[in-house]
Amino acid sequence: MEYAAIFLPLFGSIIGYLSKGFKDFLPLLITTLCIFLSSILSIIIFYNGIVHDQYGNYLIFEWISSGDFTANWTINVDPLSSIILVVVSLISFLVHLYSIEYMRHDPNKPRFMSYLSLFTFSMMVLVVSDNFLQLFFGWEGVGLCSYLLIGFWYKKDSANQAAIKAFLVNRVGDLGLAIGVFLIFLYFGTINFSEIFVSVPNFSSKQINFLGIEINLITAICSFLFLGAMGKSAQLFLHTWLPDAMEGPTPVSALIHAATMVTAGVFLVARCSPIFEYSQVALNFVTIIGMLTALFAASVALVQNDIKRIIAYSTCSQLGYMFFAAGVGAYHVAIFHLFTHAFFKALLFLGSGSVIHSLNDEQDIRKMGGLWKKMPFTWISMIIGTLALTGFPFLSGYYSKDAIIEFAFLSGSNLGYIAAGVGILTAFLTAIYSWRLIFKTFHGKFNNQETNQTNIHESGINILLPLGILVIGSIVAGFLFKEMLIGNYFSNFWDNSILITKEIDHKNIPLWLLISTPIIVTISIPISFYIYLKNKEFLNKLKFNNQKIYNFLINKWYFDEIYDFIFVKPIKKVGLFFWKIGDVKTIDRYGPDGISKIIKLISNKATKLQSGYIFDYAFVMLIGFSLLLTFFIIYI
């Protein structure tokens, strides 16, 4: 069963791609059916783990064996991997089902579905690994698939540029991950998780010289591992690829942002919690980057106008929550938020796709409005997704997001208090930009001059069915799984898959902390209604009086411009120098171009002897005979 759950997506990807010459329904059916079966098996695996404690490590084959070093292809099923398998496979199935309708008019549907399945397989390989080598294989696999899917519409220059940008930015993070793995292998002599985690206490005080700097070994390893996580999960400084990834089809965005690639970084930190717990410096680093990312992304989302980019920055912000939860030791709460977030974030992306689909690919919320009567199911779905995202009481996001803020506050450290404060402020900003999206998209006056409002209609069943399932998950996932994942019995569930050294004493949570976030997200609704619908002039005045702040936010804190100035332009200049001076004027000039020029010159001179006159040929023969005779006299 475990083997089938992992390899069915790969089988579907291969068969679906090879059958693209047949009618479209065959590759679509094969890929979707394989993912559906995989999701059912993943749920069974998760259930068997909860009820019957059926976990294990299943060997696929021995990969590398050299002396004492071994690295196997395995399927490691434990509480952490089993819950992530459910998230990945279930969201992927809904995205596949949704794509059947959404990509109906695209001539390359089989290739698209094949890429989605391969993406799912790569993430599953990453999740069930029991060593860093297999994890790195899956890590690079999701990176490759993201490149293929972001640039799926490769005839668009913007899609190609976005794909290349995602690929290059992730290479920075991947280099960090690789260095971290190299350090682990160099000092631990193994890359198997179980062996490393047992040995960590023996190296907790070891110092190493890294680039002339004395640094704690565990701190160095954790910092480089987290650098890899920053790239994959689009944390501050390595976040710039994520908004541009919206160039891919909307189902891709749902899969990347809700269940696969960007959650890989959170999974890595949680999986390596036995290492991170021995470096407070690294944990503080994770906390700082996480809370800065949450605040940064939420502030930028306030002024974005592309519906998918708003939700993309929302993902970036929510990942920040997950990381600062991990940074204060609440790895299990981070995974709980990852679990609930998958449902409402997939719901928001697929709901936005339904809107885009009905508006002939329009993504600017300024050109929408008044759609709630035309698309009631999509409207209700996105409202529920928004309520869950903002942490409205008793929806899934309420349980997981509030738990992160509470745990940060109760950690007792100054950094924890700051993180909790940032979490509350970010929750308010999240509510504002989320309701801005709802009000501008579904309410007010219809502002699209290019589309006739009478032609707008609700999407088909293949789009609405996944939305309906995700609505249920967004409502009940938090309530149903809170007690098991972060309640009084969470340690029994997580077993040894996550190292948990701190617990929340819910009796000591101040009342103001319990009610602050629910009150803030509730009052944000009438505030947003007033600003974005009732009194738009107020917003225009606010924007006019704070133009510098608005420009700062609309330009995304100028990260792209700064990187362009520091990295892109200098590298281009260096590249142009070596191309024009080194390649064209040196290698080409004195190499192939120079040789061909000399040969052409000699050939041109030689052709002059082909005059047709006997005396010219006799002269050449005489010269040749003289040279041959001279050679024989001298050397023979």
Side-chain angles (χ1 to χ4, degrees):
M1 180 170 62
E2 289 76 11
Y3 295 96
I6 303 303
F7 284 101
L8 273 171
L10 178 62
F11 175 78
S13 175
I14 295 172
I15 300 302
Y17 189 84
L18 294 177
S19 61
K20 63 182 181 179
F22 297 90
K23 288 187 177 181
D24 286 343
F25 81 91
L26 184 60
L28 301 186
L29 177 64
I30 291 172
T31 51
T32 306
L33 181 60
C34 286
I35 294 295
F36 171 71
L37 294 174
S38 178
S39 63
I40 294 298
L41 294 175
S42 297
I43 293 171
I44 294 172
I45 291 169
F46 180 59
Y47 175 82
N48 287 338
I50 297 171
V51 177
H52 304 295
D53 197 30
Q54 290 184 6
Y55 300 114
N57 193 300
Y58 306 91
L59 178 67
I60 301 174
F61 62 84
E62 190 177 81
W63 191 359
I64 300 173
S65 179
S66 179
D68 295 332
F69 174 76
T70 57
N72 297 324
W73 277 98
T74 62
I75 299 174
N76 180 39
V77 178
D78 63 4
L80 177 59
S81 61
S82 65
I83 193 170
I84 302 295
L85 280 179
V86 171
V87 171
V88 173
S89 59
L90 183 58
I91 300 299
S92 180
F93 163 64
L94 296 176
V95 169
H96 276 73
L97 184 61
Y98 179 97
S99 300
I100 293 175
E101 172 70 19
Y102 191 88
M103 301 293 289
R104 181 175 56 182
H105 300 297
D106 195 288
N108 297 304
K109 292 188 292 292
R111 178 166 62 89
F112 179 77
M113 301 294 277
S114 177
Y115 286 170
L116 286 181
S117 294
L118 184 62
F119 201 173
T120 306
F121 169 72
S122 298
M123 187 64 187
M124 286 182 156
V125 168
L126 187 160
V127 167
V128 300
S129 59
D130 75 344
N131 63 77
F132 277 105
L133 192 58
Q134 183 179 331
L135 181 143
F136 193 77
F137 176 87
W139 192 272
E140 293 303 308
V142 294
L144 170 64
C145 292
S146 70
Y147 169 80
L148 295 173
L149 287 166
I150 293 169
F152 178 75
W153 287 320
Y154 57 85
K155 292 183 180 180
K156 290 171 57 180
D157 287 339
S158 57
N160 287 325
Q161 291 170 6
I164 292 170
K165 186 176 183 180
F167 196 78
L168 290 177
V169 172
N170 273 276
R171 294 290 70 73
V172 177
D174 293 354
L175 176 62
L177 176 61
I179 293 173
V181 175
F182 293 155
L183 285 173
I184 288 173
F185 176 68
L186 179 63
Y187 288 95
F188 287 76
T190 181
I191 56 170
N192 295 316
F193 294 147
S194 58
E195 297 172 5
I196 294 166
F197 297 159
V198 170
S199 304
V200 170
N202 300 330
F203 294 90
S204 59
S205 59
K206 184 173 180 58
Q207 299 290 116
I208 63 170
N209 187 297
F210 187 83
L211 300 177
I213 303 172
E214 284 291 323
I215 186 172
N216 180 268
L217 173 63
I218 302 301
T219 298
I221 289 172
C222 292
S223 299
F224 282 115
L225 292 179
F226 181 59
L227 183 60
M230 285 174 63
K232 274 290 180 288
S233 296
Q235 294 300 281
L236 196 66
F237 303 115
L238 294 179
H239 68 278
T240 54
W241 67 269
L242 192 66
D244 292 341
M246 298 303 100
E247 289 293 338
T250 301
V252 173
S253 304
L255 193 57
I256 290 178
H257 290 247
T260 55
M261 187 166 166
V262 296
T263 62
V266 181
F267 171 81
L268 174 66
V269 174
R271 174 61 80 196
C272 296
S273 56
I275 306 177
F276 277 86
E277 277 299 309
Y278 283 89
S279 176
Q280 189 59 47
V281 174
L283 287 175
N284 290 343
F285 179 47
V286 174
T287 304
I288 292 170
I289 293 295
M291 65 182 183
L292 288 177
T293 304
L295 184 60
F296 155 76
S299 67
V300 172
L302 285 171
V303 297
Q304 297 300 305
N305 295 309
D306 186 304
I307 187 170
K308 287 171 65 177
R309 283 179 183 264
I310 296 171
I311 303 173
Y313 278 111
S314 169
T315 299
C316 199
S317 182
Q318 296 306 306
L319 289 165
Y321 271 100
M322 297 175 206
F323 276 113
F324 81 66
V328 296
Y331 307 100
H332 55 309
V333 182
I335 296 298
F336 179 43
H337 192 51
L338 183 156
F339 176 72
T340 60
H341 174 263
F343 291 100
F344 55 75
K345 187 50 56 69
L347 176 59
L348 288 172
F349 265 115
L350 297 185
S352 68
S354 177
V355 172
I356 294 167
H357 192 62
S358 296
L359 290 176
N360 299 319
D361 299 327
E362 180 58 67
Q363 296 183 197
D364 193 333
I365 60 174
R366 294 172 298 183
K367 297 180 180 179
M368 298 178 187
L371 299 178
W372 72 275
K373 290 183 179 179
K374 296 289 185 178
M375 308 179 69
F377 191 86
T378 301
W379 171 61
I380 290 292
S381 298
M382 290 199 69
I383 286 215
I384 292 172
T386 297
L387 289 170
L389 169 65
T390 58
F392 193 80
F394 311 118
L395 273 73
S396 59
Y398 165 74
Y399 295 99
S400 56
K401 186 186 288 186
D402 274 25
I404 290 175
I405 296 172
E406 291 164 10
F407 203 104
F409 182 82
L410 294 177
S411 64
S413 65
N414 291 331
L415 194 58
Y417 295 144
I418 296 172
V422 170
I424 294 172
L425 174 60
T426 303
F428 176 69
L429 297 179
T430 301
I432 295 295
Y433 71 69
S434 297
W435 287 108
R436 172 178 177 260
L437 185 152
I438 292 294
F439 290 138
K440 279 189 168 292
T441 302
F442 293 100
H443 297 270
K445 182 182 177 183
F446 183 70
N447 296 312
N448 196 314
Q449 304 299 323
E450 300 172 3
T451 304
N452 191 333
Q453 191 174 9
T454 58
N455 296 330
I456 299 173
H457 56 81
E458 189 61 274
S459 301
I461 186 64
N462 280 355
I463 287 180
L464 297 184
L465 181 58
L467 292 182
I469 296 172
L470 290 169
V471 162
I472 296 172
S474 299
I475 295 172
V476 305
F479 173 76
L480 290 180
F481 292 94
K482 177 189 175 183
E483 190 65 26
M484 183 179 71
L485 300 182
I486 63 170
N488 295 328
Y489 304 103
F490 67 81
S491 57
N492 294 332
F493 171 77
W494 293 111
D495 194 25
N496 294 320
S497 62
I498 295 178
L499 179 60
I500 302 172
T501 59
K502 304 168 187 173
E503 298 183 18
I504 296 180
D505 185 359
H506 288 84
K507 295 179 181 178
N508 293 328
I509 301 176
L511 179 62
W512 66 267
L513 185 63
L514 286 173
I515 65 174
S516 59
T517 304
I519 290 175
I520 284 172
V521 300
T522 302
I523 64 173
S524 68
I525 301 175
I527 291 173
S528 300
F529 177 80
Y530 178 78
I531 293 174
Y532 298 113
L533 282 182
K534 203 70 176 174
N535 189 359
K536 296 181 181 179
E537 191 61 32
F538 171 80
L539 188 65
N540 293 330
K541 289 180 180 178
L542 186 67
K543 188 188 302 182
F544 180 78
N545 294 330
N546 299 276
Q547 195 64 42
K548 290 184 178 179
I549 296 175
Y550 177 77
N551 290 336
F552 181 70
L553 295 179
I554 199 70
N555 287 291
K556 302 158 287 187
W557 291 25
Y558 293 104
F559 269 104
D560 283 313
E561 289 77 5
I562 293 170
Y563 287 171
D564 191 56
F565 177 76
I566 296 176
F567 299 113
V568 178
K569 288 182 178 178
I571 290 173
K572 277 186 175 180
K573 288 180 180 179
V574 172
L576 286 172
F577 172 80
F578 280 111
W579 172 47
K580 290 184 176 179
I581 304 299
D583 195 359
V584 176
K585 293 186 178 180
T586 304
I587 297 174
D588 286 350
R589 182 179 180 183
Y590 298 106
D593 289 350
I595 294 171
S596 62
K597 188 178 292 185
I598 291 171
I599 292 173
K600 185 178 180 180
L601 180 64
I602 294 172
S603 299
N604 288 337
K605 295 294 183 183
T607 56
K608 293 182 179 180
L609 297 174
Q610 305 297 321
S611 63
Y613 296 110
I614 295 176
F615 54 79
D616 284 337
Y617 298 145
F619 175 72
V620 173
M621 293 171 66
L622 181 62
I623 293 297
F625 178 74
S626 299
L627 291 173
L628 186 62
L629 186 62
T630 302
F631 175 79
F632 275 102
I633 291 172
I634 294 174
Y635 295 102
I636 298 178

